[in-house]
Amino acid sequence: MCGIGGYIVNENNNPSPKVLHSLAKSLLLNLEWRGKDAAGYAFISEKDKGLILAKSPVKATDFVTIPGHLLSRRKIKAMPKVLLLHTRHATQGKPSNNKNNHPLYRKATGMCFVHNGWLLNDEELTEKHKLSLDAEVDSEIY
């Protein structure tokens, strides 16, 4: 199944951006054994006051080398206070369709989330609740 990780910085603590970057990168790379089909992260940007979501259909060791990603940067000026990380082991929905990769973002609710597991009755629930989904992955039902 998938790997889920992250951190929340307590208001009373103020670790350096370099420490948080090292922690986040280490967490994601150590989660890779839980899923090699995709990797990603999400956080709320204090500066932009919005969701920053990055994910790609590659294993974590490749993901952290993609230029421009928070975790691939060499010069670290700032890091988020709350960061959500995910490595995916695909059970449903092709990883090549990045909408199926986690973290998932649902336009209809404005929610971003990750899930570890396999929902076996997702088609039944989609029909029962008349849901319109953005992706093919079972996790989106939540």
PDB file of all heavy atoms in Angstrom, residues 36-76:
ATOM      1  N   LYS A  36       5.970   2.889  -5.334  1.00  0.00           N
ATOM      2  CA  LYS A  36       6.922   3.433  -6.301  1.00  0.00           C
ATOM      3  C   LYS A  36       6.239   3.923  -7.575  1.00  0.00           C
ATOM      4  O   LYS A  36       6.909   4.253  -8.547  1.00  0.00           O
ATOM      5  CB  LYS A  36       7.977   2.379  -6.653  1.00  0.00           C
ATOM      6  CG  LYS A  36       8.850   2.018  -5.473  1.00  0.00           C
ATOM      7  CD  LYS A  36       9.935   1.055  -5.852  1.00  0.00           C
ATOM      8  CE  LYS A  36      10.764   0.726  -4.620  1.00  0.00           C
ATOM      9  NZ  LYS A  36      11.961  -0.004  -4.915  1.00  0.00           N
ATOM     10  N   ASP A  37       4.910   3.981  -7.580  1.00  0.00           N
ATOM     11  CA  ASP A  37       4.191   4.381  -8.792  1.00  0.00           C
ATOM     12  C   ASP A  37       4.074   5.889  -8.947  1.00  0.00           C
ATOM     13  O   ASP A  37       3.899   6.381 -10.060  1.00  0.00           O
ATOM     14  CB  ASP A  37       2.793   3.753  -8.810  1.00  0.00           C
ATOM     15  CG  ASP A  37       2.868   2.239  -8.897  1.00  0.00           C
ATOM     16  OD1 ASP A  37       3.682   1.742  -9.702  1.00  0.00           O
ATOM     17  OD2 ASP A  37       2.132   1.555  -8.166  1.00  0.00           O
ATOM     18  N   ALA A  38       4.144   6.621  -7.852  1.00  0.00           N
ATOM     19  CA  ALA A  38       4.041   8.084  -7.903  1.00  0.00           C
ATOM     20  C   ALA A  38       4.462   8.651  -6.559  1.00  0.00           C
ATOM     21  O   ALA A  38       4.482   7.945  -5.546  1.00  0.00           O
ATOM     22  CB  ALA A  38       2.617   8.520  -8.228  1.00  0.00           C
ATOM     23  N   ALA A  39       4.789   9.938  -6.568  1.00  0.00           N
ATOM     24  CA  ALA A  39       5.159  10.628  -5.327  1.00  0.00           C
ATOM     25  C   ALA A  39       4.668  12.064  -5.405  1.00  0.00           C
ATOM     26  O   ALA A  39       4.504  12.621  -6.496  1.00  0.00           O
ATOM     27  CB  ALA A  39       6.673  10.597  -5.121  1.00  0.00           C
ATOM     28  N   GLY A  40       4.423  12.644  -4.221  1.00  0.00           N
ATOM     29  CA  GLY A  40       3.976  14.025  -4.222  1.00  0.00           C
ATOM     30  C   GLY A  40       3.888  14.621  -2.838  1.00  0.00           C
ATOM     31  O   GLY A  40       4.126  13.951  -1.841  1.00  0.00           O
ATOM     32  N   TYR A  41       3.548  15.915  -2.820  1.00  0.00           N
ATOM     33  CA  TYR A  41       3.373  16.634  -1.565  1.00  0.00           C
ATOM     34  C   TYR A  41       2.345  17.733  -1.749  1.00  0.00           C
ATOM     35  O   TYR A  41       1.999  18.112  -2.865  1.00  0.00           O
ATOM     36  CB  TYR A  41       4.691  17.224  -1.049  1.00  0.00           C
ATOM     37  CG  TYR A  41       5.331  18.245  -1.966  1.00  0.00           C
ATOM     38  CD1 TYR A  41       4.881  19.567  -2.000  1.00  0.00           C
ATOM     39  CD2 TYR A  41       6.389  17.906  -2.779  1.00  0.00           C
ATOM     40  CE1 TYR A  41       5.468  20.492  -2.832  1.00  0.00           C
ATOM     41  CE2 TYR A  41       6.977  18.828  -3.611  1.00  0.00           C
ATOM     42  CZ  TYR A  41       6.518  20.125  -3.636  1.00  0.00           C
ATOM     43  OH  TYR A  41       7.095  21.045  -4.468  1.00  0.00           O
ATOM     44  N   ALA A  42       1.867  18.248  -0.617  1.00  0.00           N
ATOM     45  CA  ALA A  42       0.927  19.374  -0.631  1.00  0.00           C
ATOM     46  C   ALA A  42       1.132  20.195   0.634  1.00  0.00           C
ATOM     47  O   ALA A  42       1.489  19.662   1.681  1.00  0.00           O
ATOM     48  CB  ALA A  42      -0.519  18.875  -0.700  1.00  0.00           C
ATOM     49  N   PHE A  43       0.909  21.502   0.500  1.00  0.00           N
ATOM     50  CA  PHE A  43       0.930  22.396   1.643  1.00  0.00           C
ATOM     51  C   PHE A  43       0.186  23.670   1.302  1.00  0.00           C
ATOM     52  O   PHE A  43      -0.061  23.972   0.136  1.00  0.00           O
ATOM     53  CB  PHE A  43       2.363  22.696   2.098  1.00  0.00           C
ATOM     54  CG  PHE A  43       3.191  23.473   1.101  1.00  0.00           C
ATOM     55  CD1 PHE A  43       3.246  24.864   1.147  1.00  0.00           C
ATOM     56  CD2 PHE A  43       3.927  22.808   0.134  1.00  0.00           C
ATOM     57  CE1 PHE A  43       4.026  25.576   0.244  1.00  0.00           C
ATOM     58  CE2 PHE A  43       4.709  23.514  -0.772  1.00  0.00           C
ATOM     59  CZ  PHE A  43       4.752  24.897  -0.726  1.00  0.00           C
ATOM     60  N   ILE A  44      -0.188  24.392   2.333  1.00  0.00           N
ATOM     61  CA  ILE A  44      -0.810  25.698   2.154  1.00  0.00           C
ATOM     62  C   ILE A  44       0.287  26.745   2.244  1.00  0.00           C
ATOM     63  O   ILE A  44       1.004  26.817   3.235  1.00  0.00           O
ATOM     64  CB  ILE A  44      -1.890  25.980   3.235  1.00  0.00           C
ATOM     65  CG1 ILE A  44      -2.989  24.913   3.193  1.00  0.00           C
ATOM     66  CG2 ILE A  44      -2.465  27.383   3.067  1.00  0.00           C
ATOM     67  CD1 ILE A  44      -3.808  24.882   1.934  1.00  0.00           C
ATOM     68  N   SER A  45       0.395  27.538   1.209  1.00  0.00           N
ATOM     69  CA  SER A  45       1.417  28.574   1.172  1.00  0.00           C
ATOM     70  C   SER A  45       0.947  29.802   1.948  1.00  0.00           C
ATOM     71  O   SER A  45      -0.104  30.361   1.650  1.00  0.00           O
ATOM     72  CB  SER A  45       1.702  28.968  -0.283  1.00  0.00           C
ATOM     73  OG  SER A  45       2.499  30.126  -0.330  1.00  0.00           O
ATOM     74  N   GLU A  46       1.721  30.176   2.959  1.00  0.00           N
ATOM     75  CA  GLU A  46       1.393  31.386   3.725  1.00  0.00           C
ATOM     76  C   GLU A  46       1.544  32.615   2.843  1.00  0.00           C
ATOM     77  O   GLU A  46       0.757  33.550   2.924  1.00  0.00           O
ATOM     78  CB  GLU A  46       2.290  31.486   4.953  1.00  0.00           C
ATOM     79  CG  GLU A  46       2.033  30.392   5.974  1.00  0.00           C
ATOM     80  CD  GLU A  46       3.000  30.440   7.149  1.00  0.00           C
ATOM     81  OE1 GLU A  46       3.604  31.502   7.394  1.00  0.00           O
ATOM     82  OE2 GLU A  46       3.130  29.416   7.828  1.00  0.00           O
ATOM     83  N   LYS A  47       2.555  32.599   1.992  1.00  0.00           N
ATOM     84  CA  LYS A  47       2.842  33.723   1.104  1.00  0.00           C
ATOM     85  C   LYS A  47       1.737  33.891   0.051  1.00  0.00           C
ATOM     86  O   LYS A  47       1.218  34.984  -0.145  1.00  0.00           O
ATOM     87  CB  LYS A  47       4.186  33.505   0.418  1.00  0.00           C
ATOM     88  CG  LYS A  47       4.583  34.575  -0.563  1.00  0.00           C
ATOM     89  CD  LYS A  47       5.917  34.231  -1.212  1.00  0.00           C
ATOM     90  CE  LYS A  47       5.931  34.711  -2.638  1.00  0.00           C
ATOM     91  NZ  LYS A  47       7.013  34.182  -3.419  1.00  0.00           N
ATOM     92  N   ASP A  48       1.382  32.806  -0.620  1.00  0.00           N
ATOM     93  CA  ASP A  48       0.392  32.855  -1.696  1.00  0.00           C
ATOM     94  C   ASP A  48      -1.039  32.629  -1.214  1.00  0.00           C
ATOM     95  O   ASP A  48      -1.973  32.765  -1.996  1.00  0.00           O
ATOM     96  CB  ASP A  48       0.734  31.814  -2.760  1.00  0.00           C
ATOM     97  CG  ASP A  48       2.101  32.021  -3.363  1.00  0.00           C
ATOM     98  OD1 ASP A  48       2.510  33.189  -3.516  1.00  0.00           O
ATOM     99  OD2 ASP A  48       2.768  31.021  -3.669  1.00  0.00           O
ATOM    100  N   LYS A  49      -1.180  32.246   0.052  1.00  0.00           N
ATOM    101  CA  LYS A  49      -2.490  31.943   0.650  1.00  0.00           C
ATOM    102  C   LYS A  49      -3.299  30.962  -0.210  1.00  0.00           C
ATOM    103  O   LYS A  49      -4.473  31.141  -0.458  1.00  0.00           O
ATOM    104  CB  LYS A  49      -3.282  33.231   0.877  1.00  0.00           C
ATOM    105  CG  LYS A  49      -2.624  34.168   1.863  1.00  0.00           C
ATOM    106  CD  LYS A  49      -3.531  35.305   2.214  1.00  0.00           C
ATOM    107  CE  LYS A  49      -2.990  36.336   3.126  1.00  0.00           C
ATOM    108  NZ  LYS A  49      -1.858  36.171   3.907  1.00  0.00           N
ATOM    109  N   GLY A  50      -2.621  29.917  -0.624  1.00  0.00           N
ATOM    110  CA  GLY A  50      -3.288  28.909  -1.430  1.00  0.00           C
ATOM    111  C   GLY A  50      -2.577  27.577  -1.366  1.00  0.00           C
ATOM    112  O   GLY A  50      -1.480  27.452  -0.823  1.00  0.00           O
ATOM    113  N   LEU A  51      -3.212  26.581  -1.944  1.00  0.00           N
ATOM    114  CA  LEU A  51      -2.680  25.225  -1.949  1.00  0.00           C
ATOM    115  C   LEU A  51      -1.560  25.102  -2.979  1.00  0.00           C
ATOM    116  O   LEU A  51      -1.706  25.525  -4.116  1.00  0.00           O
ATOM    117  CB  LEU A  51      -3.793  24.229  -2.291  1.00  0.00           C
ATOM    118  CG  LEU A  51      -3.372  22.770  -2.409  1.00  0.00           C
ATOM    119  CD1 LEU A  51      -2.999  22.205  -1.054  1.00  0.00           C
ATOM    120  CD2 LEU A  51      -4.467  21.945  -3.051  1.00  0.00           C
ATOM    121  N   ILE A  52      -0.465  24.519  -2.557  1.00  0.00           N
ATOM    122  CA  ILE A  52       0.624  24.164  -3.456  1.00  0.00           C
ATOM    123  C   ILE A  52       0.635  22.638  -3.504  1.00  0.00           C
ATOM    124  O   ILE A  52       0.772  21.977  -2.471  1.00  0.00           O
ATOM    125  CB  ILE A  52       1.998  24.681  -2.956  1.00  0.00           C
ATOM    126  CG1 ILE A  52       1.965  26.188  -2.736  1.00  0.00           C
ATOM    127  CG2 ILE A  52       3.097  24.251  -3.903  1.00  0.00           C
ATOM    128  CD1 ILE A  52       1.738  27.022  -3.970  1.00  0.00           C
ATOM    129  N   LEU A  53       0.471  22.099  -4.686  1.00  0.00           N
ATOM    130  CA  LEU A  53       0.365  20.659  -4.874  1.00  0.00           C
ATOM    131  C   LEU A  53       1.359  20.252  -5.957  1.00  0.00           C
ATOM    132  O   LEU A  53       1.367  20.829  -7.041  1.00  0.00           O
ATOM    133  CB  LEU A  53      -1.060  20.312  -5.310  1.00  0.00           C
ATOM    134  CG  LEU A  53      -1.409  18.883  -5.612  1.00  0.00           C
ATOM    135  CD1 LEU A  53      -1.293  18.018  -4.379  1.00  0.00           C
ATOM    136  CD2 LEU A  53      -2.829  18.803  -6.161  1.00  0.00           C
ATOM    137  N   ALA A  54       2.208  19.293  -5.644  1.00  0.00           N
ATOM    138  CA  ALA A  54       3.163  18.776  -6.621  1.00  0.00           C
ATOM    139  C   ALA A  54       3.143  17.263  -6.547  1.00  0.00           C
ATOM    140  O   ALA A  54       3.238  16.687  -5.460  1.00  0.00           O
ATOM    141  CB  ALA A  54       4.567  19.299  -6.323  1.00  0.00           C
ATOM    142  N   LYS A  55       2.999  16.637  -7.700  1.00  0.00           N
ATOM    143  CA  LYS A  55       3.000  15.180  -7.759  1.00  0.00           C
ATOM    144  C   LYS A  55       3.381  14.766  -9.166  1.00  0.00           C
ATOM    145  O   LYS A  55       3.221  15.534 -10.121  1.00  0.00           O
ATOM    146  CB  LYS A  55       1.642  14.613  -7.363  1.00  0.00           C
ATOM    147  CG  LYS A  55       0.468  15.147  -8.180  1.00  0.00           C
ATOM    148  CD  LYS A  55      -0.833  14.652  -7.615  1.00  0.00           C
ATOM    149  CE  LYS A  55      -2.021  15.228  -8.378  1.00  0.00           C
ATOM    150  NZ  LYS A  55      -3.283  14.678  -7.883  1.00  0.00           N
ATOM    151  N   SER A  56       3.902  13.545  -9.262  1.00  0.00           N
ATOM    152  CA  SER A  56       4.359  13.056 -10.547  1.00  0.00           C
ATOM    153  C   SER A  56       4.346  11.534 -10.544  1.00  0.00           C
ATOM    154  O   SER A  56       4.576  10.923  -9.503  1.00  0.00           O
ATOM    155  CB  SER A  56       5.777  13.580 -10.802  1.00  0.00           C
ATOM    156  OG  SER A  56       6.157  13.363 -12.124  1.00  0.00           O
ATOM    157  N   PRO A  57       4.106  10.916 -11.696  1.00  0.00           N
ATOM    158  CA  PRO A  57       4.060   9.451 -11.762  1.00  0.00           C
ATOM    159  C   PRO A  57       5.451   8.825 -11.819  1.00  0.00           C
ATOM    160  O   PRO A  57       5.791   8.089 -12.743  1.00  0.00           O
ATOM    161  CB  PRO A  57       3.268   9.191 -13.049  1.00  0.00           C
ATOM    162  CG  PRO A  57       3.554  10.367 -13.907  1.00  0.00           C
ATOM    163  CD  PRO A  57       3.704  11.529 -12.964  1.00  0.00           C
ATOM    164  N   VAL A  58       6.246   9.128 -10.810  1.00  0.00           N
ATOM    165  CA  VAL A  58       7.602   8.583 -10.694  1.00  0.00           C
ATOM    166  C   VAL A  58       7.853   8.210  -9.238  1.00  0.00           C
ATOM    167  O   VAL A  58       7.184   8.714  -8.338  1.00  0.00           O
ATOM    168  CB  VAL A  58       8.673   9.591 -11.165  1.00  0.00           C
ATOM    169  CG1 VAL A  58       8.507   9.921 -12.641  1.00  0.00           C
ATOM    170  CG2 VAL A  58       8.664  10.854 -10.328  1.00  0.00           C
ATOM    171  N   LYS A  59       8.841   7.365  -9.002  1.00  0.00           N
ATOM    172  CA  LYS A  59       9.176   7.011  -7.623  1.00  0.00           C
ATOM    173  C   LYS A  59       9.815   8.217  -6.930  1.00  0.00           C
ATOM    174  O   LYS A  59      10.317   9.139  -7.577  1.00  0.00           O
ATOM    175  CB  LYS A  59      10.071   5.780  -7.566  1.00  0.00           C
ATOM    176  CG  LYS A  59      11.378   5.919  -8.275  1.00  0.00           C
ATOM    177  CD  LYS A  59      12.115   4.584  -8.277  1.00  0.00           C
ATOM    178  CE  LYS A  59      13.421   4.732  -9.054  1.00  0.00           C
ATOM    179  NZ  LYS A  59      14.187   3.507  -9.045  1.00  0.00           N
ATOM    180  N   ALA A  60       9.802   8.196  -5.613  1.00  0.00           N
ATOM    181  CA  ALA A  60      10.270   9.332  -4.810  1.00  0.00           C
ATOM    182  C   ALA A  60      11.703   9.725  -5.133  1.00  0.00           C
ATOM    183  O   ALA A  60      12.027  10.913  -5.187  1.00  0.00           O
ATOM    184  CB  ALA A  60      10.126   9.022  -3.320  1.00  0.00           C
ATOM    185  N   THR A  61      12.576   8.743  -5.368  1.00  0.00           N
ATOM    186  CA  THR A  61      13.972   9.073  -5.657  1.00  0.00           C
ATOM    187  C   THR A  61      14.107   9.872  -6.945  1.00  0.00           C
ATOM    188  O   THR A  61      15.014  10.695  -7.074  1.00  0.00           O
ATOM    189  CB  THR A  61      14.876   7.819  -5.721  1.00  0.00           C
ATOM    190  OG1 THR A  61      14.267   6.849  -6.570  1.00  0.00           O
ATOM    191  CG2 THR A  61      15.090   7.222  -4.349  1.00  0.00           C
ATOM    192  N   ASP A  62      13.201   9.680  -7.883  1.00  0.00           N
ATOM    193  CA  ASP A  62      13.202  10.479  -9.110  1.00  0.00           C
ATOM    194  C   ASP A  62      12.462  11.803  -8.901  1.00  0.00           C
ATOM    195  O   ASP A  62      12.848  12.832  -9.445  1.00  0.00           O
ATOM    196  CB  ASP A  62      12.569   9.702 -10.263  1.00  0.00           C
ATOM    197  CG  ASP A  62      13.401   8.492 -10.676  1.00  0.00           C
ATOM    198  OD1 ASP A  62      14.626   8.507 -10.439  1.00  0.00           O
ATOM    199  OD2 ASP A  62      12.821   7.535 -11.219  1.00  0.00           O
ATOM    200  N   PHE A  63      11.414  11.763  -8.119  1.00  0.00           N
ATOM    201  CA  PHE A  63      10.607  12.957  -7.863  1.00  0.00           C
ATOM    202  C   PHE A  63      11.444  14.092  -7.271  1.00  0.00           C
ATOM    203  O   PHE A  63      11.320  15.243  -7.687  1.00  0.00           O
ATOM    204  CB  PHE A  63       9.445  12.606  -6.923  1.00  0.00           C
ATOM    205  CG  PHE A  63       8.551  13.758  -6.591  1.00  0.00           C
ATOM    206  CD1 PHE A  63       7.602  14.204  -7.499  1.00  0.00           C
ATOM    207  CD2 PHE A  63       8.639  14.388  -5.366  1.00  0.00           C
ATOM    208  CE1 PHE A  63       6.768  15.266  -7.203  1.00  0.00           C
ATOM    209  CE2 PHE A  63       7.819  15.454  -5.047  1.00  0.00           C
ATOM    210  CZ  PHE A  63       6.869  15.893  -5.972  1.00  0.00           C
ATOM    211  N   VAL A  64      12.297  13.764  -6.316  1.00  0.00           N
ATOM    212  CA  VAL A  64      13.081  14.811  -5.635  1.00  0.00           C
ATOM    213  C   VAL A  64      14.178  15.397  -6.518  1.00  0.00           C
ATOM    214  O   VAL A  64      14.836  16.357  -6.116  1.00  0.00           O
ATOM    215  CB  VAL A  64      13.680  14.325  -4.293  1.00  0.00           C
ATOM    216  CG1 VAL A  64      12.580  13.920  -3.323  1.00  0.00           C
ATOM    217  CG2 VAL A  64      14.671  13.193  -4.495  1.00  0.00           C
ATOM    218  N   THR A  65      14.358  14.860  -7.714  1.00  0.00           N
ATOM    219  CA  THR A  65      15.339  15.425  -8.641  1.00  0.00           C
ATOM    220  C   THR A  65      14.692  16.310  -9.704  1.00  0.00           C
ATOM    221  O   THR A  65      15.404  16.942 -10.485  1.00  0.00           O
ATOM    222  CB  THR A  65      16.148  14.310  -9.347  1.00  0.00           C
ATOM    223  OG1 THR A  65      15.278  13.569 -10.204  1.00  0.00           O
ATOM    224  CG2 THR A  65      16.820  13.396  -8.341  1.00  0.00           C
ATOM    225  N   ILE A  66      13.373  16.363  -9.744  1.00  0.00           N
ATOM    226  CA  ILE A  66      12.683  17.183 -10.752  1.00  0.00           C
ATOM    227  C   ILE A  66      12.899  18.656 -10.421  1.00  0.00           C
ATOM    228  O   ILE A  66      12.542  19.105  -9.329  1.00  0.00           O
ATOM    229  CB  ILE A  66      11.173  16.850 -10.797  1.00  0.00           C
ATOM    230  CG1 ILE A  66      10.968  15.392 -11.225  1.00  0.00           C
ATOM    231  CG2 ILE A  66      10.439  17.804 -11.735  1.00  0.00           C
ATOM    232  CD1 ILE A  66       9.532  14.909 -11.108  1.00  0.00           C
ATOM    233  N   PRO A  67      13.489  19.405 -11.333  1.00  0.00           N
ATOM    234  CA  PRO A  67      13.768  20.829 -11.062  1.00  0.00           C
ATOM    235  C   PRO A  67      12.504  21.614 -10.723  1.00  0.00           C
ATOM    236  O   PRO A  67      11.440  21.371 -11.296  1.00  0.00           O
ATOM    237  CB  PRO A  67      14.370  21.331 -12.377  1.00  0.00           C
ATOM    238  CG  PRO A  67      14.870  20.108 -13.068  1.00  0.00           C
ATOM    239  CD  PRO A  67      13.945  18.996 -12.654  1.00  0.00           C
ATOM    240  N   GLY A  68      12.662  22.531  -9.777  1.00  0.00           N
ATOM    241  CA  GLY A  68      11.557  23.405  -9.402  1.00  0.00           C
ATOM    242  C   GLY A  68      10.737  22.925  -8.229  1.00  0.00           C
ATOM    243  O   GLY A  68      10.003  23.693  -7.631  1.00  0.00           O
ATOM    244  N   HIS A  69      10.832  21.639  -7.906  1.00  0.00           N
ATOM    245  CA  HIS A  69      10.083  21.128  -6.766  1.00  0.00           C
ATOM    246  C   HIS A  69      10.695  21.619  -5.458  1.00  0.00           C
ATOM    247  O   HIS A  69      11.904  21.795  -5.351  1.00  0.00           O
ATOM    248  CB  HIS A  69      10.066  19.595  -6.750  1.00  0.00           C
ATOM    249  CG  HIS A  69       9.111  18.989  -7.717  1.00  0.00           C
ATOM    250  ND1 HIS A  69       7.754  19.074  -7.573  1.00  0.00           N
ATOM    251  CD2 HIS A  69       9.324  18.284  -8.848  1.00  0.00           C
ATOM    252  CE1 HIS A  69       7.165  18.442  -8.570  1.00  0.00           C
ATOM    253  NE2 HIS A  69       8.098  17.960  -9.362  1.00  0.00           N
ATOM    254  N   LEU A  70       9.846  21.806  -4.484  1.00  0.00           N
ATOM    255  CA  LEU A  70      10.269  22.207  -3.151  1.00  0.00           C
ATOM    256  C   LEU A  70      11.385  21.307  -2.616  1.00  0.00           C
ATOM    257  O   LEU A  70      12.344  21.770  -2.018  1.00  0.00           O
ATOM    258  CB  LEU A  70       9.065  22.165  -2.204  1.00  0.00           C
ATOM    259  CG  LEU A  70       9.281  22.489  -0.738  1.00  0.00           C
ATOM    260  CD1 LEU A  70       9.556  23.981  -0.580  1.00  0.00           C
ATOM    261  CD2 LEU A  70       8.056  22.100   0.063  1.00  0.00           C
ATOM    262  N   LEU A  71      11.263  20.016  -2.864  1.00  0.00           N
ATOM    263  CA  LEU A  71      12.219  19.062  -2.305  1.00  0.00           C
ATOM    264  C   LEU A  71      13.468  18.883  -3.156  1.00  0.00           C
ATOM    265  O   LEU A  71      14.406  18.212  -2.749  1.00  0.00           O
ATOM    266  CB  LEU A  71      11.540  17.717  -2.063  1.00  0.00           C
ATOM    267  CG  LEU A  71      10.344  17.776  -1.106  1.00  0.00           C
ATOM    268  CD1 LEU A  71       9.731  16.400  -0.932  1.00  0.00           C
ATOM    269  CD2 LEU A  71      10.743  18.366   0.231  1.00  0.00           C
ATOM    270  N   SER A  72      13.503  19.477  -4.348  1.00  0.00           N
ATOM    271  CA  SER A  72      14.690  19.368  -5.194  1.00  0.00           C
ATOM    272  C   SER A  72      15.589  20.601  -5.101  1.00  0.00           C
ATOM    273  O   SER A  72      16.700  20.593  -5.609  1.00  0.00           O
ATOM    274  CB  SER A  72      14.289  19.159  -6.658  1.00  0.00           C
ATOM    275  OG  SER A  72      13.689  20.323  -7.188  1.00  0.00           O
ATOM    276  N   ARG A  73      15.112  21.637  -4.440  1.00  0.00           N
ATOM    277  CA  ARG A  73      15.881  22.878  -4.355  1.00  0.00           C
ATOM    278  C   ARG A  73      17.147  22.703  -3.537  1.00  0.00           C
ATOM    279  O   ARG A  73      17.170  21.997  -2.543  1.00  0.00           O
ATOM    280  CB  ARG A  73      15.029  23.978  -3.730  1.00  0.00           C
ATOM    281  CG  ARG A  73      13.855  24.357  -4.584  1.00  0.00           C
ATOM    282  CD  ARG A  73      13.074  25.473  -3.959  1.00  0.00           C
ATOM    283  NE  ARG A  73      11.865  25.707  -4.737  1.00  0.00           N
ATOM    284  CZ  ARG A  73      10.764  26.230  -4.251  1.00  0.00           C
ATOM    285  NH1 ARG A  73      10.712  26.583  -2.989  1.00  0.00           N
ATOM    286  NH2 ARG A  73       9.727  26.405  -5.028  1.00  0.00           N
ATOM    287  N   ARG A  74      18.195  23.385  -3.962  1.00  0.00           N
ATOM    288  CA  ARG A  74      19.460  23.352  -3.237  1.00  0.00           C
ATOM    289  C   ARG A  74      19.545  24.502  -2.235  1.00  0.00           C
ATOM    290  O   ARG A  74      20.046  24.339  -1.146  1.00  0.00           O
ATOM    291  CB  ARG A  74      20.628  23.426  -4.213  1.00  0.00           C
ATOM    292  CG  ARG A  74      20.625  22.269  -5.206  1.00  0.00           C
ATOM    293  CD  ARG A  74      22.021  21.734  -5.404  1.00  0.00           C
ATOM    294  NE  ARG A  74      22.101  20.758  -6.461  1.00  0.00           N
ATOM    295  CZ  ARG A  74      21.863  19.467  -6.306  1.00  0.00           C
ATOM    296  NH1 ARG A  74      21.492  19.012  -5.159  1.00  0.00           N
ATOM    297  NH2 ARG A  74      21.988  18.640  -7.313  1.00  0.00           N
ATOM    298  N   LYS A  75      19.058  25.671  -2.632  1.00  0.00           N
ATOM    299  CA  LYS A  75      19.037  26.829  -1.732  1.00  0.00           C
ATOM    300  C   LYS A  75      17.646  26.910  -1.113  1.00  0.00           C
ATOM    301  O   LYS A  75      16.660  27.125  -1.799  1.00  0.00           O
ATOM    302  CB  LYS A  75      19.359  28.110  -2.489  1.00  0.00           C
ATOM    303  CG  LYS A  75      20.779  28.159  -3.002  1.00  0.00           C
ATOM    304  CD  LYS A  75      21.072  29.476  -3.671  1.00  0.00           C
ATOM    305  CE  LYS A  75      22.508  29.494  -4.161  1.00  0.00           C
ATOM    306  NZ  LYS A  75      22.831  30.756  -4.834  1.00  0.00           N
ATOM    307  N   ILE A  76      17.601  26.739   0.185  1.00  0.00           N
ATOM    308  CA  ILE A  76      16.330  26.684   0.900  1.00  0.00           C
ATOM    309  C   ILE A  76      16.138  27.988   1.677  1.00  0.00           C
ATOM    310  O   ILE A  76      16.843  28.243   2.645  1.00  0.00           O
ATOM    311  CB  ILE A  76      16.282  25.481   1.873  1.00  0.00           C
ATOM    312  CG1 ILE A  76      16.701  24.196   1.160  1.00  0.00           C
ATOM    313  CG2 ILE A  76      14.904  25.351   2.490  1.00  0.00           C
ATOM    314  CD1 ILE A  76      15.901  23.853  -0.062  1.00  0.00           C
TER     315      ILE A  76
END
